[in-house]
Amino acid sequence: MITIIPDAPENVAAFNATGEVTKEDFENLVVPHVKEKVSEYNELNYLLYLDTDLDNFTMGAWLQDALLGLKNLTKWNRTAIVTDKEGVQNFTDIFSVLMPGEFKSFPKENLYNALYWCKNGNEVEA
C-alpha cells in the first residue's frame, strides 16, 4: 500500500510504501498527486519511503513502466528513495541514468534529511 506522507514540504510529493504495493496504488494515488504537484510547482520533487520488504514491492516491469510513464508527464527535479534495504542503491543508480533530474538514496534514519534535500537541493548540515 502507498500513502502520502502528510508532513512533507509543500513542493515534495512524498509517499510511504508498506505491505504489498500494487500497480493500482500508483495509478490511483501516486499519479494524481504527482500531477497536482507538477501543476502547482512546474517541477517534481519526489520521495519514496520504502517501509516494506522488496518482495512486497515489486521492483519489476510495472514499477519501471510507472516511473518511466511519469517521466513524460512531469518535470523531474529531485527524487529520494529512503530505505535500509540492500540492492535499492543499485535500483536508484539505474534510474538516475534513465530519468531526468537528480536521484539519491537515503537510509531510513535520514528521512528528515531526504525531505530537506528534496525541498532545497542540499542536505542538512551535521
Side-chain angles (χ1 to χ4, degrees), residues 24-76:
E24 289 72 27
D25 290 329
F26 266 81
E27 292 173 349
N28 298 329
L29 181 69
V30 175
V31 172
H33 191 66
V34 162
K35 286 181 178 179
E36 179 183 312
K37 293 293 182 184
V38 171
S39 174
E40 188 172 347
Y41 295 98
N42 202 35
E43 68 182 12
L44 178 60
N45 297 309
Y46 181 93
L47 181 136
L48 181 60
Y49 186 91
L50 289 176
D51 198 18
T52 185
D53 289 332
L54 294 181
D55 292 344
N56 293 330
F57 194 97
T58 306
M59 298 300 233
W62 76 261
L63 179 58
Q64 292 174 15
D65 288 347
L67 289 176
L68 291 173
L70 287 174
K71 175 182 179 179
N72 297 324
L73 298 173
T74 64
K75 298 179 179 183
W76 289 89

